[in-house]
Amino acid sequence: MFHRKFKLALSIFISILWNSVLAEWNTRDYIRREHSLTKPYQGSGMSVPYWDFLGSTIVTTNYVRLTPDLQSKSGAIWNTAPCYTRNWELQVQFKVHGRGKDLFGDGFAIWYVRDRMQPGPVFGSKDYFYGLAIILDTYSNHNGAHNHQHPYISAMVNNGTMHYDHDRDGTHTQLSGCEAKFRNYNHDTHISITYRDDTLTVSTDLEGKNAWKECLRVENVLLPTGYYFGASATTGDLSDNHDIVAIKMFELDLLDTQNRDEDRSQIIPSAASFEAPRERIEDQKPAMSGIKTFLYMMCIAIVIIVIVVLGIMWYQKRQEHSRKRLY
Ligand SMILES: *[C@@H]1O[C@H](CO)[C@@H](O)[C@H](O)[C@H]1NC(C)=O
Ligand SMILES: [Ca+2]
């Protein structure tokens, strides 16, 4: 009798645990292949599935090089599939490196924009763009005093009317930004761009510690669905290798407050606030990768099961004991 109840309880317990593990697994790791670029890049032919190339871009087995460490180069990669996901996270593994110790440039940009495959002056892509640019600027064009050091990461949202002003490194149109040394590392360097519940968050993992550090967070950012992801880079008098190693796009769950049927395709890109004074928050990577979460949950599950089983055994022993004493 007792055994059957125990087995039932245990199986219910395990199924609840298992479902929560799976739910966790799904929310964190729903990678969208059609918006991602991972090794091996090449499909059956010479082309790379879901991505088009522009300018100086070359594909090797280990990286996609937007520009080599040579002057006056410009290159880009563009996703061929528009993004209809409302909440997403784009993780980009990149490598910016070159011979220059003090002089290098110009940097690269990661895009979520309406118009793809259009070369231009903003780090190799179109000015007066529609959508979002995350700019990783390695060279300070500003002659006067800057309020920040370079390399510098900034976010800009444009509705097609604003010009990116290189002479001021875009400081007048940026939503927010942070200093970030991301050049010439031997370890992997990553940037994460999350757009969730109309909040844009950019974090970096530059120290090889496998931990995200928040760079900027802006609320009330409106971006439509149906735009394209891309990355572009440019060199001028100064140069660097700008390499993209991997792009991973994760679909994030809809929030309870979000309506699945809302049409987001006609939204004009906007951001309620421009740069406001803020504290730099440095925190640990908020979410572990899917596999890690999974293993972690598994370990917890095993520990809990062992404790429960031991507890039951102990309880049974005690029952037997007291029964013996009764008779
Ligand atoms: C575009 O953005 C500019 C600058 O923020 C703003 O003044 C203008 O009203 C916007 N236009 C549209 C159509 O939203
Ligand atoms: Ca610059």
Side-chain angles (χ1 to χ4, degrees):
M1 187 62 197
F2 178 77
H3 261 279
R4 224 187 300 147
K5 262 189 198 157
F6 167 61
K7 267 187 197 156
L8 187 69
L10 193 66
S11 71
I12 289 171
F13 173 73
I14 287 175
S15 79
I16 289 172
L17 207 66
W18 186 247
N19 283 338
S20 73
V21 165
L22 284 184
E24 184 74 10
W25 171 259
N26 283 342
T27 51
R28 284 311 310 169
D29 235 8
Y30 190 34
I31 187 164
R32 296 290 296 264
R33 296 283 161 205
E34 73 272 35
H35 302 303
S36 299
L37 175 76
T38 51
K39 285 184 237 178
Y41 307 119
Q42 248 112 9
S44 45
M46 276 306 287
S47 69
V48 175
Y50 304 117
W51 295 89
D52 285 334
F53 303 106
L54 212 56
S56 56
T57 303
I58 56 155
V59 186
T60 74
T61 48
N62 291 317
Y63 52 82
V64 174
R65 179 156 290 168
L66 302 176
T67 74
D69 189 2
L70 295 169
Q71 290 183 333
S72 305
K73 298 288 179 186
S74 197
I77 51 173
W78 286 100
N79 196 196
T80 56
C83 166
Y84 293 110
T85 304
R86 171 132 180 213
N87 302 315
W88 46 260
E89 175 172 2
L90 195 75
Q91 293 182 359
V92 180
Q93 185 185 340
F94 64 92
K95 194 170 169 70
V96 177
H97 56 117
R99 288 159 298 161
K101 269 202 130 163
D102 302 309
L103 293 172
F104 41 81
D106 291 334
F108 73 110
I110 300 165
W111 303 92
Y112 176 68
V113 288
R114 189 188 73 180
D115 307 312
R116 61 192 290 282
M117 298 297 279
Q118 299 208 9
V122 186
F123 298 90
S125 195
K126 188 181 182 293
D127 199 0
Y128 299 101
F129 58 91
Y130 286 80
L132 169 71
I134 303 298
I135 295 165
L136 293 91
D137 188 359
T138 47
Y139 177 66
S140 171
N141 303 68
H142 199 42
N143 288 326
H146 237 317
N147 54 359
H148 60 71
Q149 300 282 309
H150 274 72
Y152 190 75
I153 300 175
S154 65
M156 175 175 173
V157 167
N158 200 347
N159 62 11
T161 65
M162 280 187 285
H163 163 60
Y164 177 86
D165 185 0
H166 272 288
D167 292 341
R168 295 180 176 261
D169 296 307
T171 44
H172 293 262
T173 47
Q174 77 182 40
L175 295 175
S176 186
C178 76
E179 294 167 11
K181 291 198 165 47
F182 54 77
R183 273 187 85 252
N184 275 356
Y185 285 124
N186 285 321
H187 57 256
D188 295 343
T189 45
H190 305 257
I191 183 167
S192 153
I193 302 157
T194 303
Y195 181 60
R196 185 166 201 255
D197 198 22
D198 300 337
T199 297
L200 174 73
T201 311
V202 175
S203 303
T204 56
D205 174 6
L206 305 175
E207 283 154 23
K209 289 185 188 155
N210 197 29
W212 292 119
K213 179 172 160 184
E214 190 172 296
C215 165
L216 62 91
R217 173 189 290 267
V218 188
E219 290 175 4
N220 301 315
V221 173
L222 293 180
L223 295 170
T225 53
Y227 278 15
Y228 295 92
F229 293 112
S232 68
T234 192
T235 64
D237 292 340
L238 304 171
S239 66
D240 249 338
N241 297 297
H242 295 97
D243 300 345
I244 301 291
V245 180
I247 298 177
K248 287 180 186 163
M249 191 278 213
F250 298 93
E251 174 167 354
L252 306 179
D253 276 355
L254 271 187
L255 303 174
D256 294 338
T257 50
Q258 293 177 327
N259 175 4
R260 189 171 295 275
D261 301 321
E262 185 187 339
D263 179 10
R264 302 265 300 179
S265 63
Q266 302 305 316
I267 288 174
I268 294 169
S270 72
S273 64
F274 274 82
E275 181 126 69
R278 84 210 149 81
E279 294 281 324
R280 248 307 247 309
I281 306 157
E282 291 174 12
D283 56 7
Q284 282 293 299
K285 210 165 197 161
M288 286 179 280
S289 75
I291 298 227
K292 262 196 223 148
T293 311
F294 182 74
L295 292 176
Y296 185 63
M297 297 286 281
M298 277 294 274
C299 283
I300 290 183
I302 288 166
V303 167
I304 290 175
I305 288 169
V306 165
I307 288 172
V308 167
V309 168
L310 286 177
I312 297 282
M313 279 164 67
W314 176 80
Y315 180 76
Q316 269 180 308
K317 271 262 156 63
R318 225 185 54 156
Q319 289 283 64
E320 272 168 35
H321 228 74
S322 53
R323 235 179 285 147
K324 269 179 204 156
R325 245 186 293 153
L326 272 175
Y327 298 113

